[in-house]
Amino acid sequence: MNGEFKFGIEEEYFINDAFKRDAARGRIKEFFEACRDKLSDDIQPEMLEPQIEIATKPGVEFADARSQLVDLRTSVGAIARDHNLSVMASGTHPLATWARVRPNAQPRYGKVMHDLQMVGSRSVVCGMHVHVEVPDLATRIDIMNRIQPYLPLLLALSTSSPFWQSQRTGLLGYRLAAYRELPRTGLPDLFESAADYQRYIDTLVAARAIENSSYVWWVIRPSLKHPTLELRVADSCTRVDDTLAIAALYRCLVRHLSLDPKLNAGQTGASRAINDENGWRAQRYGIHGSFVDEASRSAKPVRQMLDETLDLVAEDAKALGCERELDLARWIVARGTSADQQLTLYTEALGRGLSSRDALAGVVDWLSAETIGESTVRH
């Protein structure tokens, strides 16, 4: 059964000036050239200059995915160090000011930035994406509708973006608040069928509003390049364990929904609005909040929602051989997300008399070290 539902993971990282702790403005071209020489096609640039994306190769074993992620993080981190840079996995950058971040000069991104203008420049965010193979487009669209009630949970577990432009936002996951300034983001509409979805894409392309479906940036979408359903709701996860936990839970949910076509069938406008509300609650409170349950018309703590979801997909985890990775989701709730640790470090630093700028620099140091597995902070 492990051959089913092949998956791949993409992670976006910030590239920092190792001394200033701010988003890098120099040496990036040389850094990317060194990465390409050593890592080939496993790395890609992103819309803004101080960002990099790494990707695992499609597979079925989480042990292989872990090994690839660890190797890529370590390798990119070592190359960055050689250029007086560092890399950092978090949904937003604690210190970066969007007006000082340069866009990527590649032609594709130039066209995007010309269209998006200031909202593109303000999108100084990094996410984690998970592709799960679902060969049939009709099934991808159906699952995209029915998986929406679980997306807030996946977001809450990933939260790593409590700061924005040197400010504490009051949210655990600010990334999507910034990202939703862009068009074609947030939850997808509830499409009636694959034909309905294709009509939407074909109409926008024919009208030259977009070039293709890769310009649709929902929190979950059918991939253009691959026969997969791509999860995009998660913040970039600082810890490898968190990445694997979320990827495992998403993969199990895709399998479960594909085998049980009645689960969450008949989502309505009210359902979508409730899912959207729960997405906001995940952004605001992370794992410490609750979600509105449509069936019981009550609020369920995130921990309860997680327990119920893990019970739901227990057999899927066994079939896919990812029980250990799935169990890591409980560990996220037990010890907190990256956002929780960032806020703890920031508050402790302020308590020691450090300025807000120096406290945030300490957060950046922890994020950079944790990303490449060198953190010594107890958490």
Side-chain angles (χ1 to χ4, degrees):
M1 296 287 283
N2 267 19
E4 294 180 302
F5 303 96
K6 189 179 295 185
F7 74 100
I9 298 170
E10 299 167 348
E11 293 188 313
E12 297 168 349
Y13 308 142
F14 290 107
I15 307 167
N16 298 328
D17 184 304
F19 302 109
K20 296 180 180 178
R21 276 72 162 232
D22 202 345
R25 287 172 62 87
R27 303 181 299 278
I28 295 177
K29 181 179 179 181
E30 295 81 2
F31 163 71
F32 266 103
E33 289 174 350
C35 285
R36 287 199 179 92
D37 288 343
K38 297 181 180 179
L39 303 174
S40 186
D41 296 330
D42 294 330
I43 63 101
Q44 297 292 332
E46 269 297 321
M47 191 163 69
L48 299 174
E49 193 176 65
Q51 292 176 309
I52 187 170
E53 182 184 81
I54 63 95
T56 67
K57 293 177 172 57
V60 296
E61 299 293 343
F62 274 91
D64 291 343
R66 175 184 288 276
S67 177
Q68 290 180 59
L69 286 175
V70 170
D71 288 349
L72 285 166
R73 287 178 174 223
T74 301
S75 299
V76 171
I79 296 168
R81 187 181 295 117
D82 291 342
H83 291 78
N84 296 318
L85 302 169
S86 67
V87 292
M88 181 182 80
S90 62
T92 55
H93 196 298
L95 284 170
T97 301
W98 69 262
R100 298 182 68 249
V101 175
R102 295 172 179 168
N104 193 303
Q106 289 193 1
R108 169 186 162 93
Y109 296 113
K111 293 178 182 178
V112 172
M113 294 301 291
H114 176 75
D115 183 40
L116 296 177
Q117 295 293 308
M118 183 184 283
V119 296
S121 299
R122 285 173 54 85
S123 187
V124 187
V125 297
C126 285
M128 186 267 285
H129 307 155
V130 185
H131 290 260
V132 174
E133 188 174 40
V134 182
D136 178 58
L137 177 61
T139 304
R140 291 202 292 277
I141 299 303
D142 177 55
I143 294 175
M144 184 173 74
N145 289 340
R146 294 188 294 119
I147 204 169
Q148 288 191 22
Y150 301 105
L151 299 181
L153 175 62
L154 296 167
L155 172 59
L157 293 170
S158 76
T159 48
S160 65
S161 49
F163 299 106
W164 175 252
Q165 302 221 104
S166 301
Q167 299 291 319
R168 180 174 177 173
T169 65
L171 280 64
L172 278 294
Y174 186 79
R175 168 184 150 265
L176 284 184
Y179 196 63
R180 287 189 73 166
E181 291 186 357
L182 274 63
R184 302 178 297 279
T185 55
L187 283 175
D189 286 300
L190 297 171
F191 292 96
E192 293 179 358
S193 62
D196 190 30
Y197 163 78
Q198 199 62 55
R199 184 163 54 251
Y200 164 73
I201 297 295
D202 291 346
T203 300
L204 264 61
V205 171
R208 297 185 179 178
I210 59 175
E211 289 189 19
N212 54 54
S213 63
S214 72
Y215 290 77
V216 173
W217 301 305
W218 298 322
V219 294
I220 188 168
R221 70 179 182 184
S223 173
L224 172 65
K225 295 182 179 179
H226 312 288
T228 62
L229 187 61
E230 179 188 4
L231 179 75
R232 299 169 53 82
V233 76
D235 281 4
S236 183
C237 292
T238 310
R239 304 176 176 102
V240 171
D241 278 355
D242 294 8
T243 294
L244 293 168
I246 292 161
L249 181 52
Y250 174 61
R251 187 183 179 211
C252 288
L253 283 166
V254 170
R255 181 184 188 273
H256 193 90
L257 288 162
S258 71
L259 297 179
D260 184 0
K262 293 182 179 180
L263 181 62
N264 293 341
Q267 292 274 293
T268 66
S271 305
R272 186 184 180 281
I274 291 168
N275 297 335
D276 205 30
E277 173 67 22
N278 287 336
W280 155 250
R281 297 174 71 82
Q283 289 176 245
R284 170 64 180 87
Y285 301 105
I287 59 173
H288 307 290
S290 60
F291 294 138
V292 177
D293 179 64
E294 183 177 6
S296 65
R297 301 180 73 179
S298 63
K300 288 185 177 181
V302 171
R303 184 186 296 268
Q304 180 182 347
M305 176 76 168
L306 176 62
D307 287 342
E308 292 176 359
T309 306
L310 293 178
D311 288 344
L312 177 74
V313 300
E315 289 302 314
D316 303 280
K318 183 181 292 185
L320 296 173
C322 59
E323 292 167 291
R324 179 181 178 278
E325 287 74 22
L326 203 64
D327 200 47
L328 291 172
R330 289 193 172 91
W331 179 230
I332 295 175
V333 173
R335 56 99 162 102
T337 66
S338 170
D340 293 315
Q341 181 64 24
Q342 291 179 53
L343 290 169
T344 296
L345 292 170
Y346 177 73
T347 303
E348 289 177 349
L350 293 180
R352 297 196 306 272
L354 271 66
S355 68
S356 179
R357 172 63 173 75
D358 288 342
L360 289 172
V363 172
V364 171
D365 285 343
W366 175 77
L367 287 166
S368 300
E370 187 73 23
T371 297
I372 61 173
E374 293 184 354
S375 176
T376 58
V377 174
R378 293 182 181 273
H379 53 276

